[in-house]
Amino acid sequence: MTRRFGIDTSILVRLVTGDPEAGFRHCVRRIGTLIDEGCEVFASNQVIGEAYVAVQHHYGVSKTDARSALHAALRSGLVAPLNGRTVIAALEATDGAGLLDRLIADDYARAALETLTLDRKMARLADTHHL
């Protein structure tokens, strides 16, 4: 049976920023070893959302650059989004609802729930309704 791991925010931030360099190299080396052993490594929507906010706040990265860096990290082959293609689509979207809104709606959709919101842009997402 394949071993599967979920990373926390600190690891994804290292993969996105490369900072600190020694921590980045350690993460790449250790995750690479796990993958070579046949393991799968994932990042949850919560981790992706937290990393998105963290790189903006702590590293001064723009929203656009944060999305791009997350996209690159999650397509690198080291770590994949737990919710798959819908997260990649959320990272690629450039208009309407924000990334966190899209991740929230995605989590609810996976639980077969419709989303309620007061945000008009978010309400335009599938199975999301303005309250």
Side-chain angles (χ1 to χ4, degrees):
M1 184 163 166
T2 301
R3 289 181 71 193
R4 302 174 84 209
F5 295 91
I7 63 169
D8 78 345
T9 305
S10 66
I11 293 171
L12 187 54
V13 168
R14 295 297 173 279
L15 295 176
V16 166
T17 65
D19 186 54
E21 187 176 338
F24 170 75
R25 285 194 316 265
H26 172 78
C27 288
V28 170
R29 185 173 50 255
R30 294 288 293 133
I31 292 171
T33 298
L34 290 171
I35 291 168
D36 289 345
E37 293 170 356
C39 299
E40 297 175 330
V41 181
F42 297 95
S44 70
N45 278 2
Q46 183 174 352
V47 166
I48 295 164
E50 286 181 353
Y52 176 67
V53 171
V55 297
Q56 289 175 71
H57 179 75
H58 295 291
Y59 292 88
V61 174
S62 71
K63 287 182 179 186
T64 300
D65 289 345
R67 278 178 180 241
S68 179
L70 282 163
H71 187 272
L74 295 169
R75 303 280 297 190
S76 70
L78 287 175
V79 60
L82 181 62
N83 289 354
R85 180 73 189 121
T86 58
V87 174
I88 298 302
L91 288 165
E92 293 171 347
T94 58
D95 62 338
L99 177 60
L100 292 175
D101 292 340
R102 291 172 187 276
L103 295 176
I104 291 165
D106 181 59
D107 273 346
Y108 284 135
R110 291 187 178 281
L113 300 172
E114 296 180 50
T115 303
L116 295 174
T117 182
L118 295 174
D119 185 291
R120 293 193 187 283
K121 287 183 181 179
M122 186 178 183
R124 291 193 290 250
L125 296 173
D127 296 320
T128 303
H129 309 281
H130 192 266
L131 183 65

